[in-house]
Amino acid sequence: MMRLLVLLCFSVSSLAQAGVESRVHQLLNQWRTSEAATEAEALLTTLPDLPAIQEAAARVKFFQGRYQDALDLLRRARAAAKRESPLLPLIQATFEETRNHVAYPGRHFTVHVPPGPDQVLADYLHEALEEALARHGPRFGVTVKEPIRVEVYSSLESFAQVSTLSLEAIKTSGTIALCKFDRLMLVTPRVTLRGYDWLDTASHELIHLLISRRSHNSVPVWLHEGLAKYHESGWRGDYGEPLAPYAAELLAKAIQKDELISFARMSPSMALLPSQEATATAFAEVKTAIEYMLEQKGDGVVIGLMDGIREGNGQLDPAFEKLFGTDLKGFESSWTQWLKKRPMETVTGARKSALEFGRNRSSADDTDPSRPDGPAGRRARLGDMLYRRGHHEAAAIEYQRAVDKAGTGYPGLVHRLADCLIATRAFDAARDLLNRSAKQAPDDPRTWILLGRLGLRAERWQESRQAYEEANRINPFDPEVHDALAQLGIRLQDDALHQRELRAKARLEGAERPKAASPKESVTPTKDAAYLTLVTSPWAEVLIDDQAIGRGTPLTDYPLTPGTHEIELRNTALGLKKRLKITLKPGQRLHKELKLGREKDALDNPIE
């Protein structure tokens, strides 16, 4: 027996020296979180007190979104190793930024949003992402078995804390979302003046996750972004939506001036390019690169290229030579020649679509000062005076004269003219004007709101719904959008739409807020509190007195009121469950190590 013990000790020591936890880190780097969790669980069972193992397991918990559990493991590692893990600041910041988030679980996604108006985002994110996964999953050859974590942040500062990007880089590049640490990360549209295409952005980030999982995170940045950009709108229509007018204009200028951004310059991140214009140009480039690939080799190139790069351990040239008969440099050269001949989707008067950060201005009726100078400006100001006095027909005449002279490049002028045309029932003229405006600036929600109003006034219900849905995909914080869609749910006899919009209104108005935790869910430690530590094999979600506490095992020094408590431990992925009853005395610290079994309904024997 002693010989066996000596051999076991030698074996454990050898494993520690060999760095057995490196396999866990390798799997996480390859976005194989489930496999990493299995490896980490086995190591924790064998070497529960080794700091390196605890740190590796903490990183797994972080990828799983179990931040408190990760912090518990890192504190144990710090106590044993007498040093602080470099992971600790990021995990601590992420925990602090998300600890009060409201969770909305769904079939394939769990959406975590800050309490307050941002709760309005949850239903729409679930709808869009489920549609996106149904479309993108087969396209990228990935099946999702466990819910994907989606986090929304209430400010750019919060996003900087959890993303590892600097606030300056975020503002310079216009980075508003990321896929990192095996989850989707978005900033609320509420931090922008007019919103942004947040649902397409969520689809875009989901594609990044699918690419990383399929390729084991071996695909370079430019190809990642090209695949995501080309496919992002596929959740609501065809793949390969035309370039936005402003992006097409930037790309055309870059071609003309011979200033294309090379694929190499796009690494290590698009977020590090010097301006929003440079970032938009780069995205337009890589989107057309995917268009070129598909034109040359068909849909199979998507999975073929990812698999080739993965099998080549990240080497690009062999994969490109196999599919295109040339290395990456040759491909980039042939794409450049093709691009110079490709027609561009430029539109006269296309408006800049750069993100504008600031207090959200949601209404189409807000005062937009954009007016031309000279004679057109004088006509516009006369129209403003007539508009304020309620003379919509006369105002429309002056606004139209201003637009005839200056064009449709002044959004405030165009929207005011459209409003007057709708008020005077000049529906065809209003529709023509707004459609032209939408082509110039498809990401301006005010245009879509006015088209929605036009549909309501003209009793064209489906047309109105489509316009308001477009507005909502950009800026969901305008109460008019949800009021109108709720009405349209009745008009179109679509009860699901009606109920969804009633929920959205309630969330915007503050009628749905998270309830305060009950004493059994959260206990403030006192001198009389008792403390529970649970270690299980395998890991488990912890419920206390039939309430989930949002924590899993290992659970360390969790404060509870003295007395009797029922504990339930669940691992739904493996179908394992254990229930027990404990009785705690004031100041007691109870430590239990348990093995889970198959699900049973009967309560196990009490433990004191």
Side-chain angles (χ1 to χ4, degrees):
M1 185 69 178
M2 185 174 290
R3 183 180 180 187
L4 178 61
L5 182 60
V6 170
L7 288 172
L8 180 60
C9 291
F10 176 77
S11 174
V12 168
S13 176
S14 299
L15 286 171
Q17 291 175 8
V20 290
E21 77 284 353
S22 62
R23 175 61 176 165
V24 175
H25 292 300
Q26 180 187 32
L27 290 169
L28 289 176
N29 291 342
Q30 295 175 345
W31 289 54
R32 299 160 70 183
T33 303
S34 295
E35 295 172 69
T38 301
E39 294 275 349
E41 189 67 48
L43 291 174
L44 269 180
T45 301
T46 308
L47 305 166
D49 299 319
L50 196 65
I53 301 299
Q54 293 167 340
E55 286 192 26
R59 191 171 171 225
V60 170
K61 305 292 187 191
F62 177 57
F63 271 58
Q64 292 174 325
R66 298 167 59 190
Y67 306 137
Q68 184 65 70
D69 294 341
L71 290 173
D72 285 348
L73 283 164
L74 288 181
R75 292 185 186 111
R76 288 168 56 189
R78 179 176 59 189
K82 308 301 182 186
R83 65 171 180 81
E84 189 169 288
S85 168
L87 291 171
L88 185 60
L90 175 62
I91 298 178
Q92 183 70 51
T94 305
F95 171 67
E96 294 297 338
E97 293 294 342
T98 61
R99 66 187 307 174
N100 294 321
H101 279 193
V102 184
Y104 290 91
R107 183 182 176 193
H108 292 108
F109 301 89
T110 300
V111 176
H112 298 257
V113 295
D118 292 327
Q119 289 176 250
V120 77
L121 307 176
D123 283 357
Y124 304 108
L125 280 169
H126 272 297
E127 285 183 16
L129 286 170
E130 288 293 348
E131 290 282 350
L133 183 60
R135 188 88 193 280
H136 303 330
R139 177 80 164 187
F140 289 87
V142 178
T143 301
V144 171
K145 297 179 180 178
E146 297 180 4
I148 295 168
R149 186 178 179 95
V150 183
E151 292 179 354
V152 177
Y153 309 104
S154 60
S155 68
L156 296 180
E157 290 75 14
S158 293
F159 188 49
Q161 288 289 320
V162 302
S163 68
T164 70
L165 290 174
S166 70
L167 187 60
E168 180 182 3
I170 290 168
K171 290 182 176 179
T172 299
S173 64
T175 300
I176 204 79
L178 286 173
C179 177
K180 205 168 186 178
F181 313 123
D182 209 18
R183 62 181 176 272
L184 314 187
M185 309 161 70
L186 296 88
V187 181
T188 171
R190 197 165 44 83
V191 305
T192 64
L193 290 178
R194 303 288 182 192
Y196 68 95
D197 53 349
W198 59 287
L199 290 178
D200 278 5
T201 297
S203 171
H204 181 104
E205 301 307 329
L206 173 62
I207 294 166
H208 281 312
L209 184 141
L210 299 177
I211 294 169
S212 293
R213 289 187 178 183
R214 178 77 189 196
S215 71
H216 294 176
N217 200 28
S218 60
V219 167
V221 167
W222 71 266
L223 183 55
H224 242 296
E225 295 295 358
L227 287 167
K229 192 66 181 174
Y230 183 87
H231 292 91
E232 67 183 16
S233 62
W235 69 275
R236 55 179 174 81
D238 294 334
Y239 286 134
E241 194 173 62
L243 290 172
Y246 181 66
E249 185 176 298
L250 288 174
L251 184 54
K253 287 180 180 178
I255 294 169
Q256 183 181 7
K257 295 180 179 180
D258 196 24
E259 293 179 352
L260 290 174
I261 299 169
S262 69
F263 295 158
R265 281 182 59 201
M266 298 177 194
S267 294
S269 173
M270 296 280 206
L272 300 179
L273 289 171
S275 67
Q276 290 194 33
E277 288 77 10
T279 303
T281 302
F283 272 113
E285 287 184 30
V286 295
K287 181 177 180 178
T288 62
I290 303 305
E291 181 185 329
Y292 175 63
M293 286 182 187
L294 292 167
E295 185 179 294
Q296 295 294 308
K297 297 296 179 180
D299 292 348
V301 75
V302 175
I303 290 178
L305 195 53
M306 289 189 296
D307 288 353
I309 295 171
R310 184 192 69 228
E311 291 161 6
N313 296 316
Q315 295 297 311
L316 301 183
D317 284 344
F320 274 84
E321 286 168 356
K322 181 178 179 180
L323 284 168
F324 300 101
T326 183
D327 60 12
L328 176 59
K329 185 177 180 180
F331 171 83
E332 189 168 3
S333 176
S334 62
W335 159 74
T336 302
Q337 296 306 311
W338 170 87
L339 184 63
K340 290 177 180 178
K341 300 175 184 177
R342 179 190 184 277
M344 289 295 159
E345 302 92 326
T346 52
V347 173
T348 302
R351 295 198 288 272
K352 184 177 180 179
S353 57
L355 278 171
E356 295 181 87
F357 297 111
R359 188 175 66 85
N360 189 265
R361 297 164 64 183
S362 58
S363 175
D365 296 321
D366 68 342
T367 303
D368 186 329
S370 59
R371 297 289 188 273
D373 295 323
R378 288 193 291 274
R379 291 292 183 184
R381 287 189 290 275
L382 178 56
D384 289 339
M385 182 185 71
L386 293 166
Y387 181 88
R388 287 193 295 270
R389 295 177 180 178
H391 303 310
H392 293 115
E393 190 169 355
I397 293 171
E398 297 303 327
Y399 286 141
Q400 185 64 64
R401 288 171 175 168
V403 169
D404 290 342
K405 290 179 180 294
T408 53
Y410 297 88
L413 174 60
V414 169
H415 295 143
R416 188 61 65 80
L417 170 56
D419 192 34
C420 290
L421 292 172
I422 293 169
T424 56
R425 302 188 67 81
F427 295 151
D428 290 342
R431 187 176 296 107
D432 177 67
L433 175 69
L434 289 169
N435 284 334
R436 280 187 286 142
S437 181
K439 287 180 180 178
Q440 291 176 319
D443 58 350
D444 191 332
R446 297 170 297 176
T447 302
W448 297 109
I449 288 173
L450 286 165
L451 279 166
R453 289 182 189 174
L454 173 59
L456 283 177
R457 290 290 300 274
E459 298 187 1
R460 297 169 71 158
W461 312 129
Q462 191 60 43
E463 183 180 294
S464 179
R465 176 183 179 171
Q466 289 171 354
Y468 276 118
E469 293 276 21
E470 287 285 349
N472 192 54
R473 284 201 285 267
I474 302 167
N475 189 3
F477 295 101
D478 192 329
E480 177 185 340
V481 171
H482 304 292
D483 282 331
L485 286 171
Q487 285 183 46
L488 288 163
I490 297 172
R491 296 286 188 180
L492 295 167
Q493 298 182 340
D494 187 336
D495 188 60
L497 172 64
H498 180 66
Q499 294 300 325
R500 184 192 73 179
E501 295 308 316
L502 291 181
R503 286 195 302 274
K505 288 175 61 179
R507 289 169 183 172
L508 277 182
E509 294 165 1
E512 182 183 309
R513 292 288 185 270
K515 297 178 181 178
S518 72
K520 290 186 178 181
E521 290 175 301
S522 177
V523 177
T524 302
T526 67
K527 64 178 182 179
D528 294 327
Y531 296 87
L532 175 65
T533 295
L534 291 172
V535 179
T536 66
S537 177
W539 72 269
E541 178 189 3
V542 180
L543 290 82
I544 300 178
D545 298 324
D546 294 322
Q547 296 186 32
I549 64 171
R551 300 282 299 280
T553 58
L555 183 71
T556 305
D557 287 338
Y558 187 80
L560 287 169
T561 55
T564 300
H565 299 274
E566 291 187 3
I567 310 296
E568 184 173 322
L569 304 166
R570 294 179 185 169
N571 185 316
T572 53
L574 299 177
L576 303 178
K577 182 177 181 180
K578 189 174 186 67
R579 300 177 68 215
L580 55 136
K581 184 180 289 185
I582 61 172
T583 300
L584 298 170
K585 299 175 183 178
Q588 181 181 0
R589 293 182 181 272
L590 179 63
H591 180 105
K592 298 302 299 180
E593 296 187 12
L594 304 163
K595 188 174 182 65
L596 270 63
R598 292 293 166 189
E599 293 198 15
K600 296 186 293 182
D601 290 328
L603 192 67
D604 292 345
N605 292 329
I607 297 176
E608 298 188 3

